[in-house]
Amino acid sequence: MDKNLTQALVEFDEDFVLADIEQRLAAGEPPMTLVRELQEGMRLVGEHFESGRYYLSELMMSADLFTRAMAVLEPHLSGVVMETIGRIVIGTPKGDIHDIGKNIFCTLARSAGFEVHDLGVDVPVDRFTETIGRVQPDVLAFSALLTTTFESMKAIVDWMAANGWRERVKVIVGGGVITETVKTYIGADGWTRDALDGLNQCRSLVGR
């Protein structure tokens, strides 16, 4: 059976993925058709990861290939209404510059249909609060590998509660230092040490 775009992404066949996209765009195929095939590939990669067939390295490879494929497609998506299942604001709080897990999560979330607003690393409290007010996300996600970020995350969640946002925005925190105790202290709705688990929790938090 001939290989297709979805299968090629699952198999990390970069040459096929990029060539197939270019050829089909040149033939006039709607770019959203290709986006959906790539999203299906990422869904299958997620299944392989959860079952233990794939490991973190494969998850990272597929996320990187998806990102490069979307970079080819994005100029052709101008004016196309992208279907989204929710909005996520995410960032690594001030004092922490780790971003590998965050970046993997962002790619997985985008591939699943979330609109992701990534604030980057070393993000101060006021930038989080300003973005929450402007974007009005469904989920606020923190990514952290240092315990020094706990106070900043708690301050942001406390601000949300004081300003009427806490009931409207779910909060999830991820990272190697995060535990159930940390989640409770911060006031989050969920916690994880795994990007794919974080995605699945976000889907549940928005009812998808």
Side-chain angles (χ1 to χ4, degrees), residues 111-177:
S111 75
F114 279 101
E115 176 186 318
V116 179
H117 298 260
D118 181 5
L119 302 183
V121 300
D122 198 28
V123 182
V125 169
D126 59 355
R127 188 163 179 224
F128 274 108
T129 58
E130 182 277 326
T131 305
I132 292 167
R134 175 169 49 82
V135 173
Q136 301 183 31
D138 301 288
V139 178
L140 170 65
F142 297 116
S143 176
L145 284 180
L146 298 178
T147 59
T148 52
T149 60
F150 295 170
E151 293 303 322
S152 292
M153 292 188 281
K154 185 178 187 304
I156 294 162
V157 176
D158 287 347
W159 174 87
M160 292 169 63
N163 288 274
W165 288 101
R166 190 62 190 89
E167 295 301 316
R168 299 157 59 182
V169 181
K170 301 299 184 182
V171 179
I172 185 171
V173 57
V177 296

Side-chain angles (χ1 to χ4, degrees), residues 9-12 40-63 100-101 104-105 108 111 192-200:
L9 180 63
V10 173
E11 296 176 357
F12 324 116
E40 174 62 11
M42 289 299 295
R43 186 190 68 79
L44 292 173
V45 168
E47 287 187 356
H48 292 342
F49 180 77
E50 289 181 318
S51 70
R53 179 178 172 186
Y54 279 4
Y55 298 97
L56 181 59
S57 57
E58 283 88 357
L59 193 63
M60 293 176 68
M61 288 168 61
S62 63
I100 293 177
I104 295 172
F105 170 82
L108 294 176
S111 75
T192 186
R193 294 177 181 170
D194 176 85
L196 186 59
D197 176 62
L199 169 62
N200 290 335

